[in-house]
Amino acid sequence: METKWSLNKVLMSSVAALLAATGTFAAEASSDQKSCQEQPGPFAFCYPRDVGLACPNDFYAHGQFLLMRSAEDGLEYAISNTNGTDNFPLDGGTISGYHSNGHSWKWDYGVRAGFGFYMGKDLWNVEAQWTHVKTHENNSTMVRAGCLDAYWLPADVDASAITRSSAQWRVKYDTFDVSFAKPFHASRYFVLQPQVGIRAAWIDQHYLARYAGSIMDHDGTYIQDGAEMKGKNDFWGVGLRSGFTSEYILGSGWSLHTSINGALLYGKFHLDQECPIEGTEGDDLSTEIHHDPYVVVPNMDISLGLGWGHLFDHDKYRFSIKVAYEFHQWWKQMRLRRFFDTGEPVSNETVYGDYSLNGLSFAVQFDF
């Protein structure tokens, strides 16, 4: 009887030990599984962008130095003809303009300044920034044997005796942008920021073409010595702007930045163009045009840059710098008119030219 009881006692103890071991293993497995599920934590997908500040105020400000090169189509002002003094036949013709004969566009300075803040639990971003660039270009050409065909003089004028020509191009470029964005981590090392906003722009251009030499009527009568055309091509507009920026976090404070934005602006051109030439016997050969059309103008901005940031003062503030190369394209910004034939009325056409800027930006930003 005792032997039987002892055997039952051993069997019961073995079963109890097995059940306890199985329960412990199951509890440990459940605990490990739960830990694995919670592990991604702050590295889960699509959580708000975090620059690492301790107790942030969610404000930032930045300033940028710009080194830009402006260019525009349609700024040719003369074509040389080395075959005698007549315009035809055209022999050895070379176009004189800002993007001809290997002319290198000049680099000009500009500035950009802005500030922004984050709001709400999901850290939506609001930013405003202003960009300003001034361009000053001068170009000239001459021929020792032959003549220059003057592009911007009236067609009724005989300018076959012109041997020297020059042009000046002045641009004042300003944009003001307000954007509403949602920056978020698509992964631990990739931040994506879709954005939409409003852009206002003011692009003022002044173009002066000068021609030196005898200006004559078509019958060969001398009129005056030299002539010039003054053109004013100003634009203002406002419209919607949308796009995205992205940040690739490389480590040790370094990151790669890209940005692409497009805009459609509804605005107004203010076009003035005049070329005063007093003809013989009271015959006025001057041209004077004023035109103020309302149009929709497309625009696109693209940039690629490398940045570095550092936290300081117990992670209360962040200082960052960024160097980027930028492209800015504005379609059909040049809208002056060119005369190419005589008659009643005088034949003419609009010279459409795309305006662009490209160059370097050097940015400094403070987050606090």
Side-chain angles (χ1 to χ4, degrees):
M1 203 58 179
E2 276 183 35
T3 303
K4 187 176 179 181
W5 171 252
S6 299
L7 181 60
N8 289 337
K9 188 175 181 180
V10 170
L11 289 174
M12 291 175 63
S13 300
S14 300
V15 170
L18 179 62
L19 290 175
T22 304
T24 302
F25 177 78
E28 291 178 355
S30 175
S31 177
D32 291 344
Q33 184 178 5
K34 184 177 180 181
S35 176
C36 290
Q37 289 175 350
E38 293 180 350
Q39 183 178 355
F43 305 130
F45 291 108
C46 301
Y47 65 93
R49 179 175 182 262
D50 182 13
V51 297
L53 291 176
C55 302
N57 294 312
D58 294 330
F59 279 88
Y60 64 89
H62 64 83
Q64 299 183 31
F65 171 77
L66 306 177
L67 184 60
M68 290 287 167
R69 188 165 60 178
S70 301
E72 189 169 54
D73 300 323
L75 296 180
E76 300 89 353
Y77 56 87
I79 185 169
S80 64
N81 185 6
T82 57
N83 183 26
T85 58
D86 296 325
N87 286 339
F88 296 100
L90 185 64
D91 184 16
T94 302
I95 297 176
S96 298
Y98 287 100
H99 55 81
S100 307
N101 301 332
H103 175 77
S104 178
W105 297 92
K106 186 166 64 71
W107 293 91
D108 296 287
Y109 303 117
V111 294
R112 180 181 293 136
F115 69 94
F117 62 91
Y118 296 93
M119 63 180 185
K121 183 169 56 176
D122 290 331
L123 294 181
W124 289 86
N125 171 240
V126 178
E127 180 178 288
Q129 70 174 14
W130 164 69
T131 302
H132 174 76
V133 179
K134 271 189 175 182
T135 299
H136 300 273
E137 288 277 357
N138 297 282
N139 200 343
S140 62
T141 188
M142 65 176 298
V143 292
R144 298 187 181 277
C147 67
L148 292 173
D149 183 14
Y151 276 4
W152 294 104
L153 295 185
D156 289 327
V157 173
D158 182 1
S160 60
I162 292 178
T163 57
R164 298 187 308 278
S165 182
S166 64
Q168 297 177 359
W169 183 47
R170 303 287 184 266
V171 185
K172 188 172 70 170
Y173 173 88
D174 290 277
T175 60
F176 182 74
D177 302 314
V178 177
S179 63
F180 186 67
K182 178 63 173 72
F184 64 91
H185 280 265
S187 72
R188 182 176 180 180
Y189 298 105
F190 177 61
V191 180
L192 188 63
Q193 178 176 304
Q195 57 199 25
V196 64
I198 296 175
R199 161 164 284 188
W202 299 263
I203 305 176
D204 296 338
Q205 301 187 58
H206 295 265
Y207 185 62
L208 173 63
R210 288 194 175 103
Y211 302 95
S214 298
I215 305 297
M216 296 175 290
D217 207 338
H218 274 289
D219 59 5
T221 305
Y222 173 82
I223 300 177
Q224 64 186 43
D225 188 20
E228 64 181 26
M229 186 281 292
K230 295 180 180 179
K232 184 177 181 181
N233 194 112
D234 296 347
F235 169 77
W236 67 264
V238 62
L240 297 179
R241 182 172 182 259
S242 181
F244 70 89
T245 62
S246 60
E247 180 182 356
Y248 302 83
I249 301 173
L250 306 177
S252 301
W254 293 94
S255 58
L256 185 67
H257 301 260
T258 61
S259 175
I260 178 169
N261 291 276
L264 286 175
L265 283 74
Y266 179 76
K268 179 181 180 181
F269 277 93
H270 180 64
L271 306 172
D272 287 336
Q273 186 175 345
E274 60 179 24
C275 180
I277 297 179
E278 189 68 35
T280 57
E281 299 179 357
D283 185 15
D284 192 355
L285 301 179
S286 303
T287 58
E288 186 174 349
I289 301 172
H290 305 284
H291 189 38
D292 299 324
Y294 286 87
V295 297
V296 175
V297 173
N299 149 245
M300 179 168 285
D301 309 317
I302 301 176
S303 70
L304 173 65
L306 181 67
W308 176 82
H310 180 68
L311 297 170
F312 62 97
D313 193 13
H314 304 288
D315 296 345
K316 293 181 181 178
Y317 307 99
R318 184 174 186 265
F319 168 80
S320 60
I321 58 176
K322 184 176 71 172
V323 179
Y325 201 91
E326 305 180 359
F327 293 90
H328 306 273
Q329 180 76 14
W330 294 79
W331 282 272
K332 291 188 176 181
Q333 275 296 307
M334 170 71 164
R335 291 174 180 257
L336 298 179
R337 303 193 73 85
R338 181 173 293 162
F339 300 90
F340 58 89
D341 197 4
T342 60
E344 296 292 342
V346 177
S347 299
N348 62 88
E349 63 180 356
T350 301
V351 179
Y352 291 107
D354 297 338
Y355 174 67
S356 64
L357 299 99
N358 70 92
L360 292 168
S361 64
F362 305 88
V364 175
Q365 179 168 315
F366 289 94
D367 294 81
F368 50 93

